[in-house]
Amino acid sequence: MTPELLAKAKSYGFSDRQIANLTGKSEDEIRALRKEQGLVPSYRLVDTCAAEFEAFTPYYYSSYDRGDDEVRPSERRKVMILGGGPNRIGQGIEFDYCCVHAAFALKEIDFETIMVNSNPETVSTDYDTSDRLYFEPLTLEDVLHIYERENCWGAIAQFGGQTPLNLALGLQKNGVNIIGTSPQSIERAEDREMFAEMLHKLEIPQPPNGLANNEEEALTEAAKLGYPVLVRPSFVLGGRAMQIVYSDQELIRYMREAVEASPERPVLVDKFLEQATEVDVDCIADVGNCDNPDDATIVIGGMLEHIEFAGVHSGDAAMVLPPHTLPENIINTIREYTHAMAKELNVTGLMNVQYAVKGDTVYVIEVNPRASRTVPFVSKAIGHPLAKLAALVMTGKTLKELGFTEEIWPEYCAIKESVFPFNKFHGQDILLSPEMRSTGEVMGLDPNFGVSFAKSQMAANAALPMEGNVFISVSDEDKSSAAAIGKGFAEMGFELVATSGTAKVLEEAGLKVRRLAKLAEGRPNALDLLKNNEIQLVINTPAGQEPRADEIKIRTHAIYTNTPIMTTISCAEAAVEGIQAIKDHGYGVKTLQEYH
């Protein structure tokens, strides 16, 4: 590797990591070699005002063509904010909200803000968000160059989701001052063995689990835990390649096909808790800013109860804040566990915890000492900007100084519902799973849970109908709940339509049902009625682990015809409550500001 060849490779766009891989060296060795030769990128300016007048927010990009460096130096204290990077379906743009609020908050206390993000489709890359913007990839090499070139005081890695979080340890090893929760605490929460040790110390239960590096180990762990199990690679974003498996065959297929999502990390195998209620908690803490952890302030920003049972990714699930079915003892346990973990992890800034409640036991599913995708929703629901407060805490301020020390429990229901892109993907089944697939979210606000749920459906999907035909087709395990749901619709004047299995259960409960043929049996069937707009609501829960072809057709046709569809019993129950509430109370509209 001659200096000329190295310079040529860099000018052609090869990263240090690629060069290291091709030459059998480490990334650190290539970086050291490059610096020895004085081979560093220069930064070029994109003039945001097209030279018509002075641009106050310069955009920069790096180049190795040895030209002039156009970065304008400044003496102010600088904080670098690492964005979320390229976006894709199932990743959520909520992290960008956190980055933007961090930039606004830091500007207010006279820090110069430097945004690093490679996604021009975001607000963080708008000209009026930060003082300087670097359109660069979120890699160790590129971030280090910018940090050194700008002579930053610190860097924020906990607002851009998993992408910058994965860089935190490497950045710290190279002298970057990661402000907020330390990379060691982040690693402790992400590393499965260290995390289990922490929970054992704090006497907090988690679902039985194990680790597997190969197919054989995965099968051994699954046999130990018993099916169903939840399998996922570690350190991935948006629940990527996460799946609930019910048999050895499914597990073998998963290990062969999906594990490439994170090849250097083991696969996590968790016992899946069926019919458990999932709860998301966002909290803010200033533990790292206090000499004594007992003097720290830890505040739960929001506690969100999932409307779907555990197993649906938190980015896809409908959620209600505050919880509407959990008893007080469970809420107190969740509060106690959250405070204990924030203290133990020395959290400085935001922390998100996912719990599963089964009977009287509260299990911890995972802890993320970073901003979560529910932060924007919670902030708007409670009227306090959690991301702004967290950014200020990271610079050393305490929550007492900022005047945010009390948990806020709204007197109204805030319901988060997700928006999906299924109408753009013909033939794609719409069933929700542990892998996130939503592209956005909406909020329904009302003192009444049912009205709030109905508002969220109006905003996200097709509005709930007030009359017409309801098609019900549910799995065997959901048939016991079908009668109560059918009765609820019948009492409101809806006509019930069902295929033979579900129709029999409804008829045995004394309900009048119009029977339809299954798709393979003949006509008229559910597809015919959907095409003719004769069905106003579909309730279809999957029968068995493998979705059946006719079920998929019914669900996808409901999407194409803009017919509201519920694929879980809990959502069907919420729909009954929502329609009844609108019939009883109607609904009003208020701005978010009026609520606060």
Side-chain angles (χ1 to χ4, degrees):
M1 175 57 73
T2 63
E4 293 75 27
L5 184 58
L6 184 57
K8 195 172 188 182
K10 293 309 287 182
S11 72
Y12 279 9
F14 282 82
S15 66
D16 287 353
R17 198 169 174 185
Q18 284 173 307
I19 296 167
N21 184 44
L22 292 167
T23 56
K25 290 184 165 62
S26 72
E27 188 178 348
D28 288 344
E29 285 174 314
I30 298 295
R31 185 182 299 110
L33 181 64
R34 209 167 31 70
K35 287 195 165 178
E36 229 173 79
Q37 295 169 13
L39 186 58
V40 291
S42 54
Y43 290 94
R44 299 306 175 79
L45 179 74
V46 177
D47 188 346
T48 49
C49 299
E52 287 184 44
F53 41 87
E54 189 182 352
F56 288 101
T57 304
Y59 289 14
Y60 295 108
Y61 64 96
S62 63
S63 167
Y64 272 91
D65 63 3
R66 304 258 183 179
D68 293 337
D69 193 307
E70 295 177 336
V71 170
R72 307 163 187 172
S74 101
E75 296 305 311
R76 289 168 65 201
R77 266 205 311 179
K78 300 175 187 137
V79 170
M80 173 195 275
I81 301 166
L82 301 180
N87 205 21
R88 62 174 178 84
I89 287 173
Q91 193 175 301
I93 203 70
E94 297 86 355
F95 295 121
D96 201 62
Y97 166 101
C98 297
C99 293
V100 170
H101 276 245
F104 291 163
L106 294 173
K107 272 186 185 181
E108 284 169 19
I109 56 169
D110 207 34
F111 275 94
E112 188 169 327
T113 55
I114 292 164
M115 190 70 68
V116 181
N117 204 0
S118 52
N119 183 357
E121 286 291 314
T122 56
V123 183
S124 66
T125 52
D126 280 1
Y127 71 92
D128 55 355
T129 298
S130 58
D131 294 307
R132 290 162 186 249
L133 170 68
Y134 284 82
F135 269 120
E136 291 291 282
L138 286 151
T139 68
L140 187 66
E141 175 184 346
D142 293 287
V143 172
L144 278 175
H145 280 312
I146 300 163
Y147 187 86
E148 288 162 5
R149 180 70 188 83
E150 285 283 4
N151 192 22
C152 295
W153 170 75
I156 293 178
Q158 60 166 267
F159 281 166
Q162 196 70 40
T163 308
L165 210 63
N166 288 348
L167 297 175
L169 264 178
L171 290 170
Q172 191 190 50
K173 281 175 190 164
N174 283 279
V176 172
N177 172 28
I178 300 286
I179 62 173
T181 306
S182 73
Q184 285 69 27
S185 288
I186 292 166
E187 185 81 359
R188 198 174 168 200
E190 296 264 0
D191 182 280
R192 186 40 67 106
E193 287 169 20
M194 290 160 80
F195 182 54
E197 278 169 27
M198 180 188 86
L199 293 183
H200 182 69
K201 177 185 169 185
L202 297 173
E203 297 180 357
I204 296 174
Q206 69 176 141
N209 61 77
L211 291 169
N213 289 297
N214 53 48
E215 204 176 288
E216 198 178 320
E217 286 178 18
L219 289 166
T220 307
E221 287 300 334
K224 225 187 287 176
L225 298 170
Y227 289 105
V229 292
L230 179 68
V231 281
R232 55 189 163 145
S234 38
F235 291 84
V236 294
L237 188 61
R240 185 156 169 249
M242 196 189 285
Q243 204 174 308
I244 300 162
V245 299
Y246 292 83
S247 66
D248 284 356
Q249 289 73 22
E250 280 184 50
L251 184 57
I252 290 166
R253 189 165 72 233
Y254 173 85
M255 292 300 287
R256 287 176 186 173
E257 292 171 9
V259 158
E260 288 168 15
S262 186
E264 295 150 27
R265 308 277 188 177
V267 167
L268 315 176
V269 185
D270 292 348
K271 174 68 184 163
F272 177 61
L273 304 171
E274 292 187 282
Q275 307 285 298
T277 301
E278 200 164 327
V279 181
D280 254 72
V281 174
D282 282 313
C283 87
I284 183 167
D286 58 14
V287 187
N289 296 344
C290 303
D291 297 331
N292 181 354
D294 293 330
D295 297 335
T297 306
I298 299 163
V299 183
I300 288 179
M303 206 180 279
L304 300 117
E305 179 183 342
H306 291 213
I307 290 173
E308 292 91 351
F309 282 128
V312 173
H313 192 280
S314 60
D316 286 354
M319 300 181 189
V320 55
L321 179 157
H324 71 308
T325 68
L326 298 180
E328 201 168 329
N329 64 316
I330 294 289
I331 286 168
N332 288 335
T333 302
I334 288 172
R335 197 174 280 131
E336 186 190 312
Y337 288 173
T338 305
H339 281 245
M341 288 187 289
K343 205 174 279 188
E344 184 66 25
L345 288 167
N346 227 22
V347 171
T348 311
L350 290 164
M351 178 178 87
N352 169 263
V353 191
Q354 285 161 28
Y355 294 99
V357 179
K358 179 102 175 176
D360 286 332
T361 309
V362 176
Y363 296 94
V364 172
I365 301 174
E366 66 176 353
V367 175
N368 295 304
R370 58 164 167 83
S372 76
R373 54 175 54 79
T374 45
V375 164
F377 177 85
V378 170
S379 299
K380 290 171 186 183
I382 66 169
H384 287 266
L386 294 179
K388 273 187 174 179
L389 291 166
L392 297 173
V393 165
M394 288 180 192
T395 64
K397 293 192 181 297
T398 65
L399 288 170
K400 285 192 181 101
E401 279 177 71
L402 298 171
F404 187 71
T405 56
E406 296 293 319
E407 191 177 319
I408 293 163
W409 201 263
E411 289 176 10
Y412 46 80
C413 270
I415 292 185
K416 174 185 95 85
E417 182 57 285
S418 302
V419 178
F420 296 95
F422 296 127
N423 59 343
K424 300 281 189 286
F425 296 97
H426 285 234
Q428 174 73 40
D429 194 9
I430 68 166
L431 278 185
L432 303 181
S433 73
E435 182 160 2
M436 184 176 159
R437 297 196 286 178
S438 70
T439 50
E441 59 190 41
V442 299
M443 176 190 276
L445 279 182
D446 199 88
N448 179 290
F449 169 82
V451 175
S452 187
F453 182 78
K455 283 181 175 181
S456 73
Q457 299 309 301
M458 289 175 203
N461 313 306
L464 295 173
M466 294 295 117
E467 58 184 13
N469 297 321
V470 179
F471 173 72
I472 305 175
S473 172
V474 296
S475 64
D476 290 341
E477 65 191 48
D478 290 332
K479 283 195 167 59
S480 57
S481 310
I485 287 165
K487 188 166 181 273
F489 280 112
E491 285 172 355
M492 290 187 286
F494 284 86
E495 308 236 340
L496 304 182
V497 183
T499 47
S500 54
T502 307
K504 185 168 178 273
V505 173
L506 296 172
E507 284 163 351
E508 282 169 3
L511 296 167
K512 188 182 168 196
V513 188
R514 176 183 168 191
R515 284 186 176 236
L516 282 185
K518 289 184 177 170
L519 301 196
E521 293 171 353
R523 309 177 91 160
N525 56 43
L527 288 193
D528 297 324
L529 268 67
L530 278 168
K531 286 172 187 169
N532 296 336
N533 293 321
E534 290 176 50
I535 291 176
Q536 279 62 52
L537 178 67
V538 173
I539 294 165
N540 177 236
T541 67
Q545 286 87 55
E546 291 292 323
R548 294 175 183 167
D550 52 352
E551 283 180 4
I552 295 173
K553 279 183 187 167
I554 290 168
R555 289 194 284 264
T556 53
H557 264 81
I559 294 294
Y560 303 151
T561 56
N562 206 27
T563 307
I565 174 165
M566 304 291 151
T567 58
T568 64
I569 285 294
S570 47
C571 276
E573 289 166 347
V576 171
E577 209 173 321
I579 294 167
Q580 188 66 64
I582 294 284
K583 281 177 176 282
D584 292 346
H585 310 292
Y587 67 93
V589 177
K590 275 162 81 173
T591 64
L592 206 52
Q593 287 80 355
E594 284 175 273
Y595 276 99
H596 301 317

